[in-house]
Amino acid sequence: MAAATADAPTRVAIVTGGASGIGLAISTRLAADGRPVAVLDRDAGAAEAAVAAITDAGGTAIACAVDVTDRAAIDAAVADVKDRLGTPGILVNNAGRDQFGAFLDIDLDTWRSVLDINLTGTFHCCQAVIPEMLAERWGRIVNISSSSAQGGQPYMAAYVSSKAAMIGLTKSLALEFGRKGITVNTIPPGFIDTPMLRKSEEKGLLGGTVEEHEARTPVRRVGRPEDIANACAFLVGEEASYVTGQVIGVNGGRNT
Ligand SMILES: NC(=O)c1ccc[n+]([C@@H]2O[C@H](COP(=O)([O-])OP(=O)(O)OC[C@H]3O[C@@H](n4cnc5c(N)ncnc54)[C@H](O)[C@@H]3O)[C@@H](O)[C@H]2O)c1
């Protein structure tokens, strides 16, 4: 396992939705880089399984069974992380839900749920963790948005709205906290092979199979969760201190 030698001291990371897909790859990668990781996910069993795999591989991780829409639970989890791992210096806001359907059919409950998880969940976690970062005068926030928000996407209006707002939030926080040593960036993934993507494929919501999409992707493959983890690993490091407020697309050239 490589040590996070560029950073002194080693920074503690919180990864929301860290138990599956992209979040799991990020949790695994940051732990492999020598960072203690809190896997924060509403799926307690999956979070425990992720932690077991990370610790088996020699990393340090704890599971926090939390829904990102529950502010009290997030505040308690941040206090728990501080007690058990140390002050969190890295926050990856990755927990999210998708949404497909005609705009005129979106009911208010669905609209609110998508905004609550994807956008307000990010708001809660940032508000809970930034005070810890301010005390250290060091922080790295990476928001996992979506390539669909870069160009728009039909039949995904609630999802795209929530992800576009995450991009705006990223830019605003970068400007507000840049002088305090905190960077804030967003990675909008495009077409990454995760359980979320495969479930959408099964339901016929992708406008073709994953394999058909691969043929239309400039690099001719579907993205891997590790592709996002690689970019994230850079953004949370010491070497990325001059990168903030940026939209770092990882999408095989599907969006330019
Ligand atoms: N897979 C893609 O192609 C793709 C593309 C663009 C954006 N994204 C975004 O990447 C992120 C991860 O997606 P994925 O494909 O890995 O999905 P996934 O379904 O495999 O994993 C999502 C994880 O988030 C957790 N989660 C969901 N709602 C939560 C909540 N309210 N509180 C806490 N945890 C919650 C789930 O339990 C799960 O472990 C999402 O924000 C998604 O919108 C994915």
Side-chain angles (χ1 to χ4, degrees):
M1 186 175 62
T5 46
D7 300 353
T10 300
R11 309 292 180 173
V12 172
I14 295 176
V15 182
T16 75
S20 172
I22 291 169
L24 177 59
I26 292 171
S27 300
T28 303
R29 170 60 188 269
L30 298 189
D33 286 349
R35 305 180 195 285
V37 174
V39 177
L40 194 151
D41 203 291
R42 71 176 172 191
D43 185 336
E48 291 292 352
V51 165
I54 289 170
T55 50
D56 281 355
T60 300
I62 62 170
C64 301
V66 169
D67 190 310
V68 294
T69 62
D70 182 345
R71 178 57 178 271
I74 293 164
D75 288 341
V78 171
D80 188 36
V81 170
K82 205 174 164 182
D83 273 359
R84 294 165 69 194
L85 295 178
T87 302
I90 296 167
L91 171 64
V92 182
N93 287 301
N94 164 80
R97 63 156 286 183
D98 59 11
Q99 170 272 326
F100 294 91
F103 175 68
L104 293 179
D105 294 337
I106 300 174
D107 59 71
L108 194 53
D109 283 349
T110 302
W111 175 267
R112 284 187 170 141
S113 166
V114 174
L115 271 287
D116 264 4
I117 295 173
N118 296 355
L119 178 61
T120 311
T122 302
F123 160 81
H124 286 317
C125 293
C126 288
Q127 271 202 343
V129 176
I130 286 175
E132 307 296 335
M133 296 174 167
L134 288 173
E136 301 284 319
R137 293 195 70 82
W138 197 97
R140 296 281 185 271
I141 299 174
V142 178
N143 295 323
I144 306 301
S145 52
S146 170
S147 62
S148 64
Q150 293 176 283
Q153 191 71 28
Y155 306 106
M156 295 185 82
Y159 180 79
V160 170
S161 299
S162 70
K163 294 296 188 176
M166 283 178 77
I167 294 173
L169 178 64
T170 299
K171 294 183 180 189
S172 292
L173 296 185
L175 297 178
E176 188 167 337
F177 293 105
R179 68 198 168 91
K180 306 282 188 184
I182 301 171
T183 69
V184 191
N185 292 288
T186 182
I187 301 173
F191 226 71
I192 309 297
D193 198 352
T194 67
M196 184 188 276
L197 188 79
R198 290 293 173 176
K199 273 181 221 150
S200 305
E201 181 189 36
E202 272 166 39
K203 292 181 195 159
L205 296 168
L206 293 184
T209 64
V210 168
E211 286 64 34
E212 285 164 354
H213 277 279
E214 282 184 308
R216 296 200 289 270
T217 299
V219 305
R220 295 292 187 273
R221 70 170 174 85
V222 66
R224 304 176 189 112
E226 292 72 20
D227 291 317
I228 308 302
N230 291 341
C232 190
F234 166 69
L235 290 173
V236 303
E238 200 64 51
E239 290 173 338
S241 61
Y242 201 54
V243 182
T244 195
Q246 300 305 305
V247 182
I248 311 288
V250 180
N251 55 47
R254 293 168 63 90
N255 298 73
T256 57

